[in-house]
Amino acid sequence: AKADGSRARVEVHEGALSDSDVDALQLEVDLRHALDNDELRLFYQPIVHLADESLLGYEALIRWQHPTRGLLPPGAFLDAAENNRLTSKLGAWVLRRACNDAVTWPEDLRVHVNVSARHLAEDGFSELVAAALEESGLEPSRLELEITESTALFAAEATLHSVAVVTDQGVTLALDDFGTGYSAITALHRLPIHTLKIDRSFVADVVAEPATAALVQGLLQLGRGMGLQVIAEGIEDLDQAAWLLDHGCAMAQGFAFGRPAPLPSPTDVLIGEVTDTPAEDVAGALLP
Ligand code: C2E
Ligand code: MG
Ligand code: MG
Ligand code: MG
C-alpha cells in the first residue's frame, strides 16, 4: 500500500489477493483514516420505561460519515475493524466519546455502549474504562456495557478478570441480542450480568406467533427470577409495546420510541427532542 494524496490506496500485484481481500484491506485503510479524520459519529437511541415512556438512557450506536459513500451503518464496516488492531482504537474512541457525551445529560440518564468480544479480551480494557470515566467525570453507575452471548461464553479467564475489575467500579453489563446465541443460559452464569436485552427478532413476532410469545414469556420469567433488568429491543409498533407491558417487561427500545440519531446539545436531551437529524434517521415517535 502507498499513500496517494491524503487517503492511502491499497495496491496489490495481480493474482496475489482476491477482489474481496482487496476490498477488506481498503476498508481497513479507510477506517484508520476515518478515525484520524473525525469521520466517525455516535448516534443515540432512547431506551424507555414502557409504563410511562420516560427516558432511562440512550444506547450509543456508531456511524461512519463517509466522504463519498455517505452515512454508513456499523454493519458496513465493523467487521473490517474486528480483524486487526483497529478494534481497540475504535472501541476506545467509542467509550471516550460516549462517556463525554453522557456526562452532559441529566444525571439520571444512563449510556449503553456496545463492546466487541475482541476488545473486551484485550489487555488494558479495564484501565481504558477507568480512564474514560475519570477523564469525563461520568459516574460509573451511569455506564452499561453491552456484550453478546458468544463473548460471555468464550471469554477466557483474563477477560472474566477484566470484567470483574470493571463491574467492581460500578459499571454494569448487559447481555445483548439475548436468545440468538449458542447458549444464552450459560452466558448468564459466567458473567455478572445486570440486564438482558431480548433480541428484536423475537419482538417482531411476539404478537402474531404463539410460539414466540411463549418463548418471550419464558425469557421475561428468567430475567425476573434472576433479578435482572430486561429491555426488549426493536419495538416498532404499539401492539408490541402493549403486549410486552402486559407481560411484565418494564423497559424497551425501538423505532416506536425513537430512532438512533445524533444528540446535538444537552438542551435537546432535556426536552426529549432530537434535531438536525439526517433524512434517513428522522426520529419518528409513533406513540402519542
Ligand atoms: P445492537 O447493539 O443490537 O443495536 C441495535 C440495532 O438495532 C441498531 O442497529 C439499531 O439501529 C437497530 N434497531 C433499533 N430499534 C429498531 C427497530 O425498532 N427496528 C429495527 N429494524 N431495528 C432497530 P445498528 O445501529 O445498525 O447497529 C447494529 C449493531 O452493530 C449493533 O446491534 C451492535 O451489535 C453493533 N454496534 C453498533 N455500534 C457499535 C459500537 O460502537 N461498537 C461495537 N463494538 N458494536 C457496535
Ligand atoms: Mg447493543
Ligand atoms: Mg441488540
Ligand atoms: Mg445486534
Side-chain angles (χ1 to χ4, degrees), residues 59-61 112-115 146-148 174-177 197 233 253:
E59 177 174 6
L61 295 160
H112 284 229
V113 175
N114 294 284
V115 175
E146 299 198 355
I147 61 170
T148 57
L175 205 47
D176 206 349
D177 306 340
K197 296 190 78 174
E233 298 191 278
Q253 190 178 349

Side-chain angles (χ1 to χ4, degrees), residues 47-250:
I47 304 172
V48 302
H49 297 280
L50 269 171
D52 57 3
E53 289 172 46
S54 62
L55 203 54
L56 174 115
Y58 290 94
E59 177 174 6
L61 295 160
I62 198 168
R63 299 289 183 266
W64 179 0
Q65 189 63 62
H66 194 282
T68 54
R69 294 166 66 199
L71 190 68
L72 301 179
F77 62 90
L78 269 191
D79 283 352
E82 270 299 285
N83 299 322
N84 53 68
R85 284 186 47 242
L86 266 182
T87 305
S88 57
K89 222 184 151 190
L90 196 108
W93 181 85
V94 170
L95 255 172
R96 288 208 158 90
R97 174 57 58 88
C99 290
N100 284 326
D101 284 347
V103 82
T104 69
W105 305 344
E107 272 176 28
D108 56 334
L109 296 185
R110 309 160 54 82
V111 65
H112 284 229
V113 175
N114 294 284
V115 175
S116 80
R118 181 183 274 252
H119 191 199
L120 190 72
E122 271 182 23
D123 278 351
F125 180 79
S126 60
E127 288 85 353
L128 166 71
V129 174
L133 290 167
E134 169 89 33
E135 287 159 18
S136 62
L138 188 74
E139 247 339 285
S141 62
R142 294 178 62 192
L143 175 63
E144 183 143 312
L145 302 178
E146 299 198 355
I147 61 170
T148 57
E149 287 158 17
S150 49
T151 311
L153 197 59
F154 300 117
E157 287 308 314
T159 306
L160 299 181
H161 176 73
S162 174
V163 163
V165 172
V166 169
T167 53
D168 281 350
Q169 298 170 46
V171 173
T172 51
L173 282 190
L175 205 47
D176 206 349
D177 306 340
F178 190 68
T180 60
Y182 291 106
S183 179
I185 311 292
T186 308
L188 280 178
H189 252 290
R190 287 207 80 191
L191 288 169
I193 300 297
H194 174 261
T195 303
L196 293 185
K197 296 190 78 174
I198 298 182
D199 193 67
R200 69 178 153 88
S201 58
F202 301 127
V203 170
D205 297 329
V206 82
V207 177
E209 275 182 15
T212 306
L215 188 95
V216 172
Q217 276 180 274
L219 296 181
L220 289 168
Q221 211 167 4
L222 177 72
R224 250 194 316 276
M226 292 187 71
L228 304 171
Q229 189 176 278
V230 180
I231 300 175
E233 298 191 278
I235 313 283
E236 294 187 352
D237 62 49
L238 282 171
D239 287 349
Q240 292 163 348
W243 189 97
L244 285 157
L245 188 58
D246 274 358
H247 292 83
C249 181

